[in-house]
Amino acid sequence: MELTVYLAGQIHDNWREEVKEKAKSKNLPVSFTGPMENHDRSDNIGEEILGEQPDNIYKDEAASKINNLRTRVLLEKSDVVIALFGEKYKQWNSAADAAAAVALNKPLILVRPKELHHPLKELSERAQVTVENTDQALQALSYIFE
Amino acid sequence: MELTVYLAGQIHDNWREEVKEKAKSKNLPVSFTGPMENHDRSDNIGEEILGEQPDNIYKDEAASKINNLRTRVLLEKSDVVIALFGEKYKQWNSAADAAAAVALNKPLILVRPKELHHPLKELSERAQVTVENTDQALQALSYIFE
Amino acid sequence: MELTVYLAGQIHDNWREEVKEKAKSKNLPVSFTGPMENHDRSDNIGEEILGEQPDNIYKDEAASKINNLRTRVLLEKSDVVIALFGEKYKQWNSAADAAAAVALNKPLILVRPKELHHPLKELSERAQVTVENTDQALQALSYIFE
Amino acid sequence: MELTVYLAGQIHDNWREEVKEKAKSKNLPVSFTGPMENHDRSDNIGEEILGEQPDNIYKDEAASKINNLRTRVLLEKSDVVIALFGEKYKQWNSAADAAAAVALNKPLILVRPKELHHPLKELSERAQVTVENTDQALQALSYIFE
Amino acid sequence: MELTVYLAGQIHDNWREEVKEKAKSKNLPVSFTGPMENHDRSDNIGEEILGEQPDNIYKDEAASKINNLRTRVLLEKSDVVIALFGEKYKQWNSAADAAAAVALNKPLILVRPKELHHPLKELSERAQVTVENTDQALQALSYIFE
Amino acid sequence: MELTVYLAGQIHDNWREEVKEKAKSKNLPVSFTGPMENHDRSDNIGEEILGEQPDNIYKDEAASKINNLRTRVLLEKSDVVIALFGEKYKQWNSAADAAAAVALNKPLILVRPKELHHPLKELSERAQVTVENTDQALQALSYIFE
Amino acid sequence: MELTVYLAGQIHDNWREEVKEKAKSKNLPVSFTGPMENHDRSDNIGEEILGEQPDNIYKDEAASKINNLRTRVLLEKSDVVIALFGEKYKQWNSAADAAAAVALNKPLILVRPKELHHPLKELSERAQVTVENTDQALQALSYIFE
Amino acid sequence: MELTVYLAGQIHDNWREEVKEKAKSKNLPVSFTGPMENHDRSDNIGEEILGEQPDNIYKDEAASKINNLRTRVLLEKSDVVIALFGEKYKQWNSAADAAAAVALNKPLILVRPKELHHPLKELSERAQVTVENTDQALQALSYIFE
């Protein structure tokens, strides 16, 4: 049995690489997908494909159409979703991805520092498991295969 | 035909009352539901029902279970969801409610000030309509009945 | 038992009024919904609510968001869909509404002049019944109540 | 990860071959399916299998049953749908296929010349992305794999 | 609480009237629907609405489209389905209606004489309850309200 | 807004009457349904309707068909499920009803004495809320209407 | 692309072997499943596994549970269903399997001699295609791969 | 065709190993999954990953989150569920897993000693097949492949 795990959440540090390496060192039969991690490319993909837009709002709308195409296809193909929230950003789209996963009946592992427990409390309660770091998320993932 | 509209989003000002009054003045056959708007009560409902909890995290978890019970029942009974985002708060749970609405195939009207277009771009694209104020949301709602 | 019937299709003549009158004269317990029939208003509703748009494409996009909000809510609440195609227009949106009805598992009665049988053949095959005029559609509707 | 893409839309030129070649030159792990492109065969398949029919309407009905069998099986197995509309034809069945894809929750990339924006505005709004040529559609597809 | 019960099965005797009277005498808050019971009208409804057909097969096809429109609408609105099989007829369409009910997750009460147990064994096993006469079916229905 | 609440769980004491009275004293717009509470009748309903059975296993099978018919119809019509577990009985069917409610996406309020936390831990985690007595369950229910 | 085809219908002659050979000679990438074709084994499988039953009705019930386990698993894994009806038998279970396929949204190819058109008219109308012999069914299957 | 079978039920003896060996000796193309069988590890997994909890109830809640993550992923990937109940334990979670399987439309084979027929009667009736030992369950499984 192999599982596909979508890594939702912030794209401002390299946490996804760490998750992939940890999974590899545990020899888990897991493949990972996730959003475009190049932040500029993610913001510009709308104009790159559809051409220049009238203003920044239209530019954002164009980019989000392409990014959501990507998310929809990959979320549909995933067995588990891990979503990581950090302290610096608004990350509403991360919250939306996490909630979309829950609503699609994909089990969600939420990763957030303890300090963020209050603003994330309802989302945390919808997750299957909430942990504080990616090591714990990997332990939970690993437990499925034992 | 009557519609039930769930008013998701921030609970820090009285925007829901405004929406209800505007709908009334337009004579729209709409009834509204929404989250608990008394912020303290929403935070304390877990301990109120389940008793004192070991620490703040468990207190939040208890509260969110009761709040999500409420949200689930009311969201299921709604025909349209209006979600309003303001500039002051993290509002991740609002984003989660909005995304849950989309995933349940409920049409979503997203209300946000123009300044928030960038952090909300993917969620906005998943909404059926994105507007900047509640007057516009009411116009869209009213159009359904014309 | 009452049924709600969505009248999809062209908005360039008064066929919907005829259907409603015929249903009334047969005393059928049916209520009807349908798209905005004022063509100009349907085209302008985007700018009316969201303000002036950069060009005609954006104007159309804005209008279609509001129109689709309306269609989604009303289609979800319908028991049967009647879609009428005439000879003059492209009516791709009518075809899209009809196919959306089929995919939502709503039984579809397709009304089209005999001359249009070839371009509509696959859509006709997906309909529950295909007829040539609204009298026949009403007979089929009436038969449900006998 | 491999994706299966259904190429809906007009069957009067060789745009599907172009799409396949472009995907190949980009080394995308994509396989393509689509409707019968031999127009005569598509029109005659009903009589070929079921024998001569009483008139052209029955001939069309027989053909569309076989064509829809094909479409249903292939659409169900697809991850993404690309639908191309050109200027010459009524293409109602293309619109129906595109809308069926949307209703089956398959993300839709709509390709249409800028001139067709008005008659396709509601369908465009239901698509995940609307572009003007197949190069742009391929860019969007390619972005999923980056 | 009121229930709607669809009475599927043979249309060659007046068993439906008996069921309705028994329900009335028990004061059950139940309303009943079912197929067209006038056998000739059921066979001729296709030509009545769509005009004369080329031969008997096309006549049957036209009739079954209208009859299935009726069945689909009424089955969708029902809470429970009672299907009665007698010994005289092929009744494949009754079997199909019963199985459609099961697949739509509607609980099915199957009524059949003991002699028919063998040919109906797989269908019986899919039913929620199998009984031998309509008195027993009414007892089961009545038990829901106790 | 009115809610229908199914009261699953043990049928050996009068906890359901207490729940109904408490709801009445709080003026909650709630109507309650639940399993047959007359234990003997629940055990004998199979033979009552279907006649004497070969042995106790067949008697149980006959009874459970009728009881499950009842449960299915009522569960489908409920908005919330409250399930109470006591200490004396095996109550596997209660656990099955509770899990069926969860799987049907009905929010579940689990009521159990603290002493039963261990054997019910996985079911408790699937519930929306777990409480220790019916007063708490009513508080949670009441909170939905505030 | 490979397809799995469930061959529902009568088990009294070797039509399934003919279908398999024809598919092989056309080199279609199709694998076939179907019911237990050994008629005695199908009738006795209940007692073979569960031991002797009180009478023939219980024997049939036991057998049908095992047969339906088989059907459910295989139907769920199929892409297309072909159902063949002959003139000799009641075949209600075949009709039930065919209707279950339709309700599971599996495209159905119905095979029946022309003489049976009347009793099968409603089921035929629910099928995607109705043909008179297995050669035609194979042609339709083959067309999907062209 | 290969099938994946989830082995729900008690984890206090080695019945799962017996099932796997019997399947192997019959050369069935079946792979098995199931809950964590190391009872202590199953009880402690919550604290192992999430750290020490305030008391035994929170410890159980933490463990059940991780165990349910495992169950959800594996149940979703299964084609058939076999659930075994023995006489010694409360096994409410087993009942819950079995009912979840039924509600997810997975066919369920229930294994229980004859003595337990009464408390399991409603669950048994929801199962596709109920048998008394694992040999019979394997026979039923094997029959699918004949």
Side-chain angles (χ1 to χ4, degrees):
Chain A
M1 192 185 67
E2 281 199 34
L3 296 180
T4 302
V5 179
Y6 185 83
L7 299 172
Q10 65 172 41
I11 60 174
H12 302 85
D13 59 32
N14 68 337
W15 71 275
R16 282 181 186 79
E17 288 319 303
E18 282 176 33
V19 164
K20 287 173 195 173
E21 276 166 35
K22 285 170 189 166
K24 204 175 167 184
S25 73
K26 282 172 183 268
N27 284 319
L28 298 182
V30 174
S31 60
F32 294 96
T33 57
M36 165 54 57
E37 292 177 65
N38 178 328
H39 198 270
D40 283 349
R41 190 152 162 69
S42 168
D43 278 359
N44 296 326
I45 187 67
E47 293 201 329
E48 182 182 324
I49 293 181
L50 298 166
E52 204 182 346
Q53 301 296 309
D55 65 21
N56 271 348
I57 291 189
Y58 291 101
K59 178 189 168 184
D60 280 352
E61 189 171 315
S64 64
K65 284 179 181 174
I66 313 288
N67 283 315
N68 279 350
L69 169 67
R70 181 185 169 111
T71 307
R72 280 182 60 184
V73 172
L74 298 180
L75 214 56
E76 193 67 47
K77 287 195 167 289
S78 67
D79 299 301
V80 178
V81 174
I82 296 177
L84 182 144
F85 286 76
E87 292 191 62
K88 289 206 206 128
Y89 307 92
K90 289 221 151 130
Q91 304 174 104
W92 284 330
N93 298 313
S94 300
D97 281 357
V102 172
L104 283 171
N105 211 20
K106 306 285 181 185
L108 172 68
I109 301 174
L110 186 68
V111 189
R112 57 107 186 84
K114 209 168 177 169
E115 293 70 28
L116 287 182
H117 78 89
H118 191 70
L120 280 168
K121 70 180 189 296
E122 267 86 20
L123 187 55
S124 166
E125 198 271 331
R126 289 180 192 176
Q128 181 60 51
V129 186
T130 297
V131 298
E132 292 175 27
N133 55 58
T134 56
D135 280 332
Q136 293 171 317
L138 264 294
Q139 279 180 285
L141 210 56
S142 174
Y143 182 71
I144 300 174
F145 295 100
E146 282 179 37
Chain B
M1 193 185 66
E2 281 199 34
L3 296 180
T4 302
V5 178
Y6 184 83
L7 299 172
Q10 64 172 42
I11 59 176
H12 303 85
D13 60 31
N14 67 338
W15 71 275
R16 282 182 185 78
E17 287 321 302
E18 284 175 33
V19 165
K20 288 173 194 171
E21 277 166 35
K22 286 170 189 166
K24 204 173 169 186
S25 73
K26 283 170 182 268
N27 284 320
L28 297 182
V30 174
S31 60
F32 293 96
T33 58
M36 166 52 58
E37 293 177 66
N38 179 329
H39 198 270
D40 284 348
R41 190 153 162 69
S42 168
D43 278 359
N44 295 327
I45 187 69
E47 292 201 329
E48 182 182 324
I49 294 180
L50 297 165
E52 202 182 349
Q53 300 296 310
D55 66 20
N56 271 348
I57 291 189
Y58 290 101
K59 178 187 168 186
D60 279 353
E61 190 172 314
S64 63
K65 284 180 180 173
I66 314 290
N67 283 315
N68 278 350
L69 168 68
R70 181 184 170 111
T71 308
R72 281 182 60 183
V73 172
L74 299 180
L75 212 56
E76 194 68 46
K77 288 197 168 285
S78 67
D79 299 302
V80 178
V81 174
I82 295 177
L84 182 143
F85 286 76
E87 291 192 62
K88 289 208 205 126
Y89 306 93
K90 288 224 151 125
Q91 302 175 104
W92 285 329
N93 298 313
S94 300
D97 281 358
V102 172
L104 283 170
N105 212 20
K106 308 284 182 187
L108 172 69
I109 301 174
L110 186 67
V111 188
R112 56 106 186 86
K114 208 169 178 170
E115 293 70 27
L116 285 182
H117 78 89
H118 192 70
L120 280 168
K121 68 179 187 298
E122 267 86 21
L123 188 55
S124 166
E125 199 272 331
R126 289 181 190 175
Q128 181 61 50
V129 186
T130 296
V131 298
E132 291 175 28
N133 55 58
T134 56
D135 280 332
Q136 294 172 315
L138 264 295
Q139 280 180 285
L141 211 54
S142 174
Y143 182 69
I144 300 175
F145 295 99
E146 281 181 35
Chain C
M1 192 186 65
E2 281 199 34
L3 296 181
T4 302
V5 178
Y6 184 84
L7 299 172
Q10 65 172 41
I11 59 176
H12 303 85
D13 60 32
N14 67 338
W15 71 275
R16 284 182 185 77
E17 287 321 302
E18 284 176 32
V19 164
K20 288 174 194 171
E21 276 165 35
K22 286 170 189 165
K24 205 174 168 185
S25 73
K26 283 170 183 268
N27 284 319
L28 298 183
V30 173
S31 59
F32 293 97
T33 57
M36 166 52 58
E37 294 177 64
N38 179 329
H39 198 271
D40 284 348
R41 189 153 161 70
S42 168
D43 279 359
N44 295 327
I45 187 68
E47 292 201 329
E48 182 182 325
I49 294 180
L50 297 165
E52 202 182 348
Q53 301 296 310
D55 65 20
N56 271 349
I57 291 189
Y58 291 101
K59 178 187 169 185
D60 280 353
E61 190 173 314
S64 63
K65 284 180 181 173
I66 313 291
N67 283 315
N68 278 349
L69 169 67
R70 180 184 169 111
T71 307
R72 281 183 59 182
V73 172
L74 298 179
L75 213 57
E76 193 68 46
K77 288 197 167 286
S78 67
D79 299 302
V80 178
V81 174
I82 295 177
L84 181 143
F85 286 76
E87 291 191 62
K88 288 208 205 125
Y89 306 93
K90 287 222 152 126
Q91 303 175 106
W92 285 330
N93 299 313
S94 300
D97 281 358
V102 172
L104 283 171
N105 212 20
K106 307 285 181 188
L108 171 69
I109 301 174
L110 186 68
V111 188
R112 54 110 187 82
K114 209 169 177 169
E115 294 70 28
L116 285 182
H117 77 88
H118 191 70
L120 280 168
K121 69 179 188 296
E122 267 87 20
L123 188 55
S124 167
E125 199 273 330
R126 290 182 191 173
Q128 181 61 51
V129 186
T130 297
V131 298
E132 290 176 28
N133 55 58
T134 56
D135 280 331
Q136 294 171 315
L138 264 295
Q139 279 180 284
L141 211 55
S142 174
Y143 182 70
I144 300 175
F145 296 99
E146 282 180 36
Chain D
M1 192 185 66
E2 281 197 34
L3 296 179
T4 302
V5 178
Y6 185 83
L7 299 172
Q10 65 173 42
I11 59 174
H12 303 84
D13 60 32
N14 66 339
W15 71 275
R16 283 181 186 80
E17 288 321 303
E18 283 175 34
V19 164
K20 288 173 194 171
E21 276 165 35
K22 285 170 189 165
K24 204 173 167 185
S25 73
K26 283 171 182 267
N27 285 318
L28 297 182
V30 174
S31 59
F32 294 96
T33 58
M36 166 53 57
E37 292 176 66
N38 178 329
H39 198 270
D40 284 349
R41 190 153 162 69
S42 167
D43 278 0
N44 296 327
I45 187 67
E47 293 201 327
E48 182 183 323
I49 294 180
L50 298 165
E52 204 182 346
Q53 300 296 309
D55 65 20
N56 271 348
I57 291 189
Y58 290 101
K59 178 188 168 184
D60 279 353
E61 189 172 315
S64 64
K65 284 180 181 173
I66 312 289
N67 284 315
N68 278 349
L69 169 67
R70 180 185 169 111
T71 308
R72 280 184 59 184
V73 172
L74 298 180
L75 213 56
E76 193 68 46
K77 287 196 167 288
S78 68
D79 299 300
V80 178
V81 174
I82 297 177
L84 182 144
F85 286 76
E87 292 191 62
K88 290 207 206 127
Y89 306 93
K90 287 222 152 127
Q91 305 174 102
W92 285 329
N93 298 313
S94 300
D97 282 357
V102 172
L104 283 171
N105 212 21
K106 306 284 180 187
L108 171 68
I109 302 174
L110 186 68
V111 189
R112 57 105 186 84
K114 209 168 176 169
E115 293 71 28
L116 287 181
H117 77 89
H118 191 71
L120 280 168
K121 69 179 188 295
E122 267 86 21
L123 187 56
S124 166
E125 199 272 330
R126 289 180 192 175
Q128 182 60 52
V129 186
T130 297
V131 298
E132 292 176 26
N133 56 59
T134 55
D135 280 331
Q136 293 172 317
L138 264 294
Q139 280 179 285
L141 210 56
S142 174
Y143 182 69
I144 300 175
F145 295 100
E146 282 180 36
Chain E
M1 193 185 65
E2 281 199 33
L3 296 180
T4 302
V5 179
Y6 185 84
L7 299 172
Q10 65 172 43
I11 59 176
H12 303 85
D13 60 31
N14 68 338
W15 71 274
R16 283 182 186 77
E17 287 321 302
E18 284 175 32
V19 164
K20 287 173 195 172
E21 276 166 35
K22 286 170 189 165
K24 204 173 168 186
S25 73
K26 282 171 183 269
N27 284 320
L28 297 183
V30 174
S31 59
F32 294 97
T33 57
M36 166 52 58
E37 294 177 65
N38 179 329
H39 197 271
D40 284 348
R41 189 152 163 69
S42 168
D43 279 358
N44 296 326
I45 186 68
E47 292 201 329
E48 182 182 324
I49 294 181
L50 297 166
E52 202 181 347
Q53 301 296 310
D55 66 20
N56 271 348
I57 291 189
Y58 290 102
K59 179 187 168 185
D60 280 353
E61 190 172 314
S64 62
K65 284 180 181 173
I66 313 290
N67 283 315
N68 279 349
L69 169 67
R70 182 185 168 110
T71 307
R72 280 183 59 183
V73 172
L74 298 180
L75 213 56
E76 193 69 45
K77 287 195 168 288
S78 68
D79 299 301
V80 178
V81 174
I82 296 178
L84 182 144
F85 286 76
E87 292 191 63
K88 288 206 207 130
Y89 306 93
K90 287 223 152 126
Q91 303 174 105
W92 285 330
N93 299 313
S94 299
D97 280 359
V102 172
L104 282 171
N105 211 21
K106 307 284 181 186
L108 171 69
I109 301 174
L110 186 68
V111 189
R112 55 109 187 83
K114 208 168 177 169
E115 294 70 28
L116 285 182
H117 78 88
H118 191 70
L120 279 168
K121 68 180 189 295
E122 267 86 21
L123 188 55
S124 166
E125 198 272 331
R126 289 180 192 175
Q128 181 60 51
V129 186
T130 297
V131 298
E132 291 176 27
N133 55 59
T134 55
D135 280 331
Q136 294 171 317
L138 263 296
Q139 279 180 286
L141 211 55
S142 174
Y143 182 70
I144 300 175
F145 295 100
E146 282 179 36
Chain F
M1 193 186 66
E2 281 200 35
L3 296 180
T4 302
V5 179
Y6 185 84
L7 299 172
Q10 65 171 41
I11 60 176
H12 303 86
D13 60 31
N14 67 339
W15 71 274
R16 282 182 187 77
E17 287 320 302
E18 283 176 32
V19 164
K20 287 173 194 172
E21 278 166 35
K22 285 170 190 167
K24 204 173 167 187
S25 73
K26 283 171 183 268
N27 286 319
L28 297 183
V30 174
S31 59
F32 293 98
T33 58
M36 165 53 57
E37 294 177 65
N38 179 330
H39 198 271
D40 283 349
R41 189 153 163 69
S42 167
D43 278 359
N44 296 327
I45 186 69
E47 292 200 329
E48 182 182 324
I49 294 181
L50 297 166
E52 202 181 348
Q53 300 296 309
D55 65 20
N56 272 347
I57 291 189
Y58 289 101
K59 177 187 168 187
D60 280 353
E61 190 172 313
S64 63
K65 283 180 181 172
I66 313 291
N67 284 315
N68 279 349
L69 168 67
R70 181 184 169 112
T71 308
R72 281 182 59 183
V73 172
L74 299 180
L75 213 57
E76 193 68 45
K77 287 197 167 286
S78 67
D79 299 302
V80 178
V81 174
I82 296 178
L84 182 144
F85 286 77
E87 291 191 63
K88 289 208 204 127
Y89 306 93
K90 287 224 151 124
Q91 302 175 105
W92 285 330
N93 298 314
S94 300
D97 281 357
V102 172
L104 282 171
N105 212 20
K106 307 286 182 186
L108 172 69
I109 301 175
L110 186 68
V111 189
R112 55 109 186 83
K114 208 169 178 171
E115 293 70 28
L116 285 182
H117 77 88
H118 191 70
L120 279 167
K121 69 180 187 298
E122 267 87 21
L123 187 55
S124 166
E125 198 272 331
R126 289 181 192 175
Q128 181 61 51
V129 186
T130 297
V131 299
E132 291 175 27
N133 54 59
T134 55
D135 280 333
Q136 294 171 317
L138 263 295
Q139 281 180 284
L141 211 55
S142 173
Y143 182 70
I144 299 174
F145 295 99
E146 282 179 35
Chain G
M1 192 186 67
E2 281 199 33
L3 296 180
T4 301
V5 178
Y6 185 83
L7 299 171
Q10 65 172 41
I11 59 174
H12 302 85
D13 59 31
N14 67 337
W15 71 275
R16 283 181 186 80
E17 288 319 304
E18 283 175 34
V19 164
K20 287 174 194 172
E21 276 166 35
K22 284 170 189 166
K24 204 172 168 186
S25 73
K26 282 171 183 269
N27 286 318
L28 297 182
V30 174
S31 59
F32 294 97
T33 58
M36 165 55 56
E37 292 175 67
N38 178 329
H39 198 270
D40 284 348
R41 189 153 162 69
S42 168
D43 277 359
N44 296 326
I45 186 68
E47 292 201 329
E48 181 182 323
I49 294 181
L50 297 166
E52 204 183 347
Q53 301 296 309
D55 65 20
N56 271 349
I57 290 189
Y58 289 102
K59 178 187 166 184
D60 280 353
E61 189 172 315
S64 63
K65 283 180 181 172
I66 313 289
N67 283 315
N68 278 350
L69 169 67
R70 180 183 169 111
T71 308
R72 282 183 58 183
V73 173
L74 298 180
L75 213 56
E76 193 68 47
K77 287 194 168 289
S78 67
D79 300 299
V80 178
V81 174
I82 296 178
L84 183 144
F85 286 76
E87 291 191 62
K88 290 208 205 125
Y89 306 93
K90 288 222 151 126
Q91 305 174 103
W92 284 329
N93 299 312
S94 299
D97 281 357
V102 172
L104 283 172
N105 212 21
K106 307 284 181 187
L108 172 68
I109 301 174
L110 187 68
V111 189
R112 56 107 187 83
K114 208 167 176 171
E115 293 70 27
L116 288 181
H117 78 88
H118 191 70
L120 280 168
K121 69 180 188 295
E122 268 86 21
L123 187 55
S124 166
E125 199 272 331
R126 289 180 192 176
Q128 182 60 53
V129 186
T130 297
V131 298
E132 291 176 26
N133 55 58
T134 55
D135 280 332
Q136 293 171 317
L138 264 294
Q139 279 180 286
L141 210 55
S142 174
Y143 182 70
I144 300 175
F145 295 100
E146 282 179 35
Chain H
M1 192 186 68
E2 281 198 35
L3 296 180
T4 301
V5 179
Y6 184 83
L7 299 172
Q10 65 172 40
I11 60 175
H12 303 85
D13 59 32
N14 67 337
W15 71 275
R16 282 181 187 79
E17 288 320 304
E18 283 175 34
V19 164
K20 287 173 195 173
E21 277 166 33
K22 285 170 189 166
K24 205 174 166 185
S25 73
K26 282 170 183 269
N27 285 319
L28 299 182
V30 174
S31 60
F32 294 97
T33 58
M36 164 55 57
E37 292 176 66
N38 178 329
H39 197 271
D40 284 349
R41 189 152 163 69
S42 168
D43 278 0
N44 296 326
I45 187 68
E47 293 201 328
E48 182 182 324
I49 294 180
L50 297 166
E52 204 182 346
Q53 301 296 310
D55 66 19
N56 271 349
I57 290 189
Y58 290 102
K59 178 187 167 184
D60 279 353
E61 188 172 315
S64 63
K65 283 179 181 173
I66 313 289
N67 283 315
N68 278 350
L69 169 66
R70 180 184 168 111
T71 307
R72 282 183 59 185
V73 172
L74 298 180
L75 214 56
E76 193 67 46
K77 288 195 167 287
S78 67
D79 299 301
V80 178
V81 174
I82 296 177
L84 182 143
F85 286 76
E87 292 192 61
K88 290 207 204 125
Y89 306 93
K90 289 220 150 128
Q91 304 175 103
W92 285 329
N93 299 312
S94 299
D97 281 357
V102 172
L104 283 171
N105 213 21
K106 307 285 181 185
L108 172 69
I109 302 174
L110 186 68
V111 188
R112 56 109 187 81
K114 209 168 176 170
E115 294 69 28
L116 287 182
H117 77 90
H118 191 72
L120 279 167
K121 69 180 188 297
E122 268 88 19
L123 188 55
S124 166
E125 198 272 331
R126 289 181 193 175
Q128 181 60 52
V129 186
T130 297
V131 298
E132 292 176 27
N133 55 58
T134 56
D135 280 332
Q136 294 171 316
L138 263 296
Q139 280 180 285
L141 210 55
S142 174
Y143 182 71
I144 300 174
F145 295 100
E146 283 179 34

